[in-house]
Amino acid sequence: MNANAESTVPFVDLVGQFHRYEDELMTAIRGVLESASFIGGAPVKDFEAAWAAYCGTKNAVGCGNGTDAIYLALRALGVGPGDEVITAVNTFIATSEAITMTGAKPVFVDVDDATALIDATKIEAAITERTKAIIPVHLYGQLVDMEPVLAIAKAHGLKVVEDTAQAHGAIDHGKRAGTFGDAATFSFYPGKNLGAYGDGGAVITDDDALAEHIRKIANHGRSTKFGHEIEGVNSRLDGLQAAILGVKVKHLDTWIDERRAAAQRYDKLLSELGDAIVLPHVRHATSHVFHLYVCRVQDRDGLRKHLGERNIQSGIHYPVPLHLLPAYSHLGQGEGTFPVAEKMAKEIVSLPISPEITEEQQVRVAKAVAEFVGANR
Ligand SMILES: *Cc1c(COP(=O)(O)O)cnc(C)c1O
């Protein structure tokens, strides 16, 4: 059989997941349409309660998306013009965009070569008298080791907002992702580990007053219908998305197990290739929920082309470290500023992973990778 005639191994399979839970999802969607609870109402309240309970925190506030969630958390914590906020240079641009949205300036820090997460040993050098907060990003689904980050924040009086857009449900020291800092933010973008059927986001916090403040900013600065105490924004989780998330959250732990099993299968299949490919570094068993399965290879672009020719999708997260993007040229940080992230960006490749991926698909991926790295050794 011609390899090209084989079916696609999709990067994620959102349609497959819909069909797996079709009856439950359609019932929830119908319920929203029949009660016209499109903005606010029971579906949002119920999901916020379910999400707070799942994470093990006192408050969850739904909002429009994961970018707004970071903006809302920072703004409610008092971050604004003239301030600086520290984050990792290898993350999705949403993290730094949200910092800029508050009027503050993003300050980047290089990442750890093994985990690709913010290098805590480099945070202190980035702190100035303007620094107000640190945003550790739990990238790829793996929790940043929060102990050193929290110690630095405490020593310098800084707020900590965890960007948990990729790590729903990961656990460290018996606590879920997002329960370590002052607040944590989630994205429910469709492709995230807990995804809506459109945009959605949330902020979680144990601080009741902070949660109230976030809720107010997200809803036109009001706590009563026309009692606008401040100027806010319009960033709400809508009823349909909340109802869909309410169904899906019940299955999140199953999906986490399935993602971990898939990651272990790749580990086993790919470890036979020795040091031709560097597999994901996992801090410990529950620290990673494998939003992405990111490997490192010398000829990354060649490998991706080889996979593409065999109908295997792959990705790069992220191809350009933030400081080298045109959007941040004004910061004047050229090549060589963050050497670990820069080298990593040239070598990383994200292989397909999702709760729905089959063993057969993974064997196909591993065979294709083996063919390529074997031929290039
Ligand atoms: C997806 C993502 C966001 C932004 O979420 P949206 O819902 O798309 O706005 C923020 N940070 C990280 C690390 C992400 O992966």
Side-chain angles (χ1 to χ4, degrees):
M1 190 170 74
N2 176 345
N4 290 320
E6 285 188 279
S7 61
T8 300
V9 179
F11 194 67
V12 290
D13 184 8
L14 299 179
V15 177
Q17 190 183 71
F18 166 59
H19 290 305
R20 196 171 160 192
Y21 304 99
E22 185 165 351
D23 290 348
E24 280 176 82
L25 287 161
M26 293 313 291
T27 301
I29 290 168
R30 176 171 289 275
V32 174
L33 302 190
E34 285 184 342
S35 62
S37 36
F38 299 118
I39 302 288
V44 174
K45 258 191 128 130
D46 292 351
F47 172 69
E48 286 178 339
W51 189 236
Y54 177 88
C55 295
T57 183
K58 282 172 73 184
N59 306 278
V61 180
C63 65
N65 55 70
T67 312
D68 284 358
I70 303 168
Y71 162 78
L72 292 165
L74 290 175
R75 190 175 147 187
L77 285 165
V79 173
D83 295 337
E84 293 178 358
V85 177
I86 291 171
T87 196
V89 75
N90 180 29
T91 177
F92 183 53
I93 192 171
T95 317
S96 46
E97 278 177 328
I99 295 168
T100 306
M101 281 161 69
T102 68
K105 179 188 160 192
V107 173
F108 300 129
V109 168
D110 210 349
V111 294
D112 178 83
D113 191 53
T115 62
L117 302 173
I118 193 166
D119 184 342
T121 66
K122 293 180 180 155
I123 291 176
E124 256 172 334
I127 294 174
T128 73
E129 68 280 4
R130 292 171 182 266
T131 310
K132 280 284 160 60
I134 306 172
I135 308 182
V137 182
H138 303 307
L139 203 71
Y140 304 155
Q142 176 146 246
L143 286 175
V144 170
D145 179 3
M146 292 297 290
E147 262 174 45
V149 176
L150 293 172
I152 292 164
K154 195 167 176 206
H156 295 269
L158 308 177
K159 303 292 184 188
V160 175
V161 175
E162 302 172 63
D163 182 344
T164 317
Q166 301 191 1
H168 314 68
I171 295 174
D172 209 356
H173 298 286
K175 284 167 51 148
R176 293 272 191 197
T179 58
F180 298 88
D182 295 285
T185 63
F186 292 90
S187 166
F188 303 121
Y189 180 81
K192 300 289 159 90
N193 283 19
L194 178 62
Y197 289 154
D199 279 310
V203 184
I204 63 169
T205 179
D206 271 337
D207 182 336
D208 296 343
L210 184 66
E212 251 352 273
H213 196 184
I214 289 165
R215 195 178 288 288
K216 186 185 295 176
I217 298 169
N219 190 18
H220 298 297
R222 67 183 159 192
S223 38
T224 57
K225 186 157 183 160
F226 293 116
H228 305 280
E229 294 143 46
I230 51 170
E231 274 194 324
V233 295
N234 177 359
S235 183
R236 297 175 299 223
L237 180 64
D238 71 65
L240 271 173
Q241 303 309 335
I244 289 157
L245 291 166
V247 170
K248 287 188 163 199
V249 70
K250 296 178 190 144
H251 303 292
L252 182 55
D253 279 336
T254 302
W255 299 337
I256 290 172
D257 289 344
E258 289 167 343
R259 284 179 182 274
R260 287 193 183 127
Q264 280 174 9
R265 216 180 282 143
Y266 271 143
D267 286 348
K268 196 156 174 288
L269 291 163
L270 297 171
S271 62
E272 290 165 21
L273 303 175
D275 54 14
I277 181 165
V278 180
L279 305 182
H281 174 90
V282 181
R283 289 182 45 232
H284 61 79
T286 64
S287 66
H288 210 318
V289 290
F290 292 97
H291 173 58
L292 295 167
Y293 187 91
V294 180
C295 301
R296 290 172 72 168
V297 289
Q298 275 302 313
D299 182 8
R300 186 267 314 281
D301 295 335
L303 173 61
R304 290 196 71 215
K305 181 165 174 287
H306 182 86
L307 294 174
E309 285 162 2
R310 279 147 192 81
N311 290 328
I312 296 167
Q313 297 181 348
S314 63
I316 307 174
H317 300 88
Y318 294 88
V320 183
L322 294 181
H323 69 293
L324 297 179
L325 287 170
Y328 293 108
S329 59
H330 61 277
L331 297 178
Q333 294 181 306
E335 287 275 352
T337 312
F338 300 110
V340 179
E342 289 168 25
K343 181 163 191 292
M344 195 174 281
K346 298 187 177 84
E347 299 174 354
I348 47 179
V349 54
S350 309
L351 300 180
I353 193 164
S354 69
E356 285 72 33
I357 197 166
T358 64
E359 182 164 3
E360 191 192 339
Q361 288 174 322
Q362 290 192 272
V363 167
R364 251 182 75 195
V365 174
K367 269 197 181 140
V369 173
E371 265 167 33
F372 183 79
V373 302
N376 285 272
R377 248 202 282 219

